[in-house]
Amino acid sequence: MNWTAMAPELSTPAYLACCGVGGGFAAIGLDGDGRPLWHQTQPARAHDIIGHADLGICAVVARKPGTYVAVCDLVTGKTQVTCKAVSGHHFDGHGVFSLDGREIFATQSADRTQDGLIAVYDTRSGALLRTFPSQGTEPHELIWSEPGILAIAHGGIVNRNDPDAIDSSLVLLEAESGEVLRRWVLDDDWETLSIRHLAGLTDGGIVFAMQDQDAATDRRPLVGIATASGALSFLPIPPELQPRLDGYIGSVAADTAGRVVAATAPRGGVAMFWSVDDGRFIGRVDLPDVCGVAPGAKPGTMRLTSGHGRQLLAAVDSRNGISGLELAEMTEAGIQWDNHLARVAPGAGGLG
């Protein structure tokens, strides 16, 4: 594909994604139909990319154990400033903008102990402004659960070869003071589960996705909801589907209405959907190596990306099932979409 011929007119992307291409790595801005608007080479493999429409910027976050976050122009993808990891720490692949877009909050872990840190950077200069403990081990994704309140998924893994030593948790922190407002930990029955990815619901609930570090099990829950009142519940997975997932959920999202939850399982090549109202499993879409998922523009729709370069728009109806529409396919460009897909919502600071 001729990258220079992508976008005859500059426009704000509707979606953002990282990918592997041509033996290297890149970040890409996509229009509403999945067509690339810009492509910017990255110095290393990135994990997630977030956008702030009002300020016209996006941020590419390095994959663990990466050491950089690149703040870029949202319309062109060109890097403006680079944020460097705190000494003795590395980025864990995720971040969020402050509501006004002037700051980035990013998860980091200590290189040796995996003790969690939230590092706050100035988006104009890239300067480190302050840090505070994430109050857990190996923080991964963080989101705004409400203005000023961060929800942080702690994977809890210090040594991936030791599944008995996982200290996973979901924590709510006051972003200004770092004060712990609430902490959820899993029962001992689920001690090998690692909470890694999050999505916010319109009612204040938080969807969390997990990965099972014990390959010998295939019946443990992998997706759950923490309600605004503090209750914790798991979403059902059909028994015949569970072994196929290989204990691995790669990403999770809620539709724009907050009524449908989607979770992707790249090892199983499947995206799954549930009703938020009653927790019922709605159905699935089979897509090899699917991992990226983000809400579509309309309620009840989800965008999916796969490591084979495919993009799919899934329309989810709790009564009539799921239909899919193939979007721009990028296999001819050798693109391998990475783990996450981000929707650029109006006024996006992470709450859109």
Side-chain angles (χ1 to χ4, degrees):
M1 174 173 286
N2 181 6
W3 293 110
T4 60
M6 281 184 175
E9 297 181 4
L10 295 178
S11 59
T12 299
Y15 292 87
L16 301 166
C18 300
C19 68
V21 59
F25 304 102
I28 296 181
L30 302 166
D31 69 11
D33 294 319
R35 294 172 299 208
L37 297 171
W38 52 257
H39 154 277
Q40 291 294 335
T41 300
Q42 296 299 307
R45 184 178 177 183
H47 189 64
D48 199 8
I49 178 170
I50 55 175
H52 196 289
D54 287 356
L55 215 57
I57 57 176
C58 60
V60 182
V61 187
R63 181 183 180 88
K64 181 184 182 74
T67 58
Y68 81 99
V69 169
V71 181
C72 309
D73 185 284
L74 182 59
V75 174
T76 66
K78 293 181 178 178
T79 299
Q80 297 176 335
V81 296
T82 300
C83 309
K84 297 181 179 179
V86 175
S87 178
H89 293 72
H90 56 266
F91 287 103
D92 283 289
H94 290 276
V96 292
F97 286 112
S98 60
L99 296 185
D100 62 7
R102 300 297 182 183
E103 297 176 338
I104 293 175
F105 293 71
T107 51
Q108 295 187 23
S109 295
D111 293 334
R112 295 181 62 184
T113 66
Q114 300 299 311
D115 288 343
L117 193 72
I118 304 299
V120 186
Y121 296 87
D122 187 310
T123 59
R124 292 159 293 187
S125 67
L128 177 67
L129 300 176
R130 62 189 184 278
T131 66
F132 54 91
S134 71
Q135 304 296 338
T137 303
E138 198 218 3
H140 196 62
E141 187 161 22
L142 74 169
I143 63 173
W144 294 109
S145 68
E146 58 182 273
I149 308 298
L150 287 169
I152 306 166
H154 291 95
I157 300 173
V158 177
N159 180 359
R160 288 189 176 271
N161 295 319
D162 184 6
D164 294 328
I166 294 177
D167 182 23
S168 189
S169 63
L170 172 57
V171 174
L172 294 185
L173 291 185
E174 206 285 322
E176 195 62 35
S177 67
E179 177 187 357
V180 177
L181 302 178
R182 178 170 285 159
R183 182 194 305 271
W184 290 272
V185 295
L186 301 175
D187 294 340
D188 290 344
D189 290 343
W190 318 123
E191 61 182 3
T192 63
L193 294 177
S194 173
I195 302 172
R196 308 201 68 80
H197 293 111
L198 306 174
L201 298 174
T202 53
D203 62 4
I206 301 166
V207 184
F208 60 96
M210 299 173 285
Q211 296 169 8
D212 193 347
Q213 302 305 301
D214 185 355
T217 64
D218 61 7
R219 291 293 184 268
R220 288 178 177 154
L222 294 172
V223 185
I225 294 179
T227 68
S229 64
L232 205 68
S233 63
F234 297 119
L235 296 177
I237 297 172
E240 69 277 9
L241 188 59
Q242 186 106 30
R244 176 176 164 184
L245 308 182
D246 197 23
Y248 190 98
I249 299 297
S251 189
V252 67
D255 77 323
T256 55
R259 305 268 53 90
V260 174
V261 168
T264 56
R267 295 177 182 176
V270 62
M272 300 170 290
F273 304 88
W274 294 266
S275 166
V276 172
D277 294 332
D278 56 14
R280 181 172 47 86
F281 182 80
I282 298 173
R284 74 176 199 253
V285 168
D286 293 323
L287 183 63
D289 201 23
V290 60
C291 199
V293 59
K298 297 179 180 179
T301 61
M302 293 285 187
R303 298 280 292 267
L304 304 168
T305 56
S306 85
H308 298 304
R310 293 178 64 188
Q311 300 181 65
L312 197 70
L313 177 64
V316 184
D317 188 299
S318 60
R319 292 174 297 179
N320 300 318
I322 303 164
S323 59
L325 172 65
E326 194 86 25
L327 298 173
E329 190 163 345
M330 303 297 293
T331 51
E332 73 276 9
I335 283 182
Q336 297 172 296
W337 296 115
D338 220 300
N339 294 57
H340 298 289
L341 175 69
R343 177 174 178 258
V344 181
L351 282 167

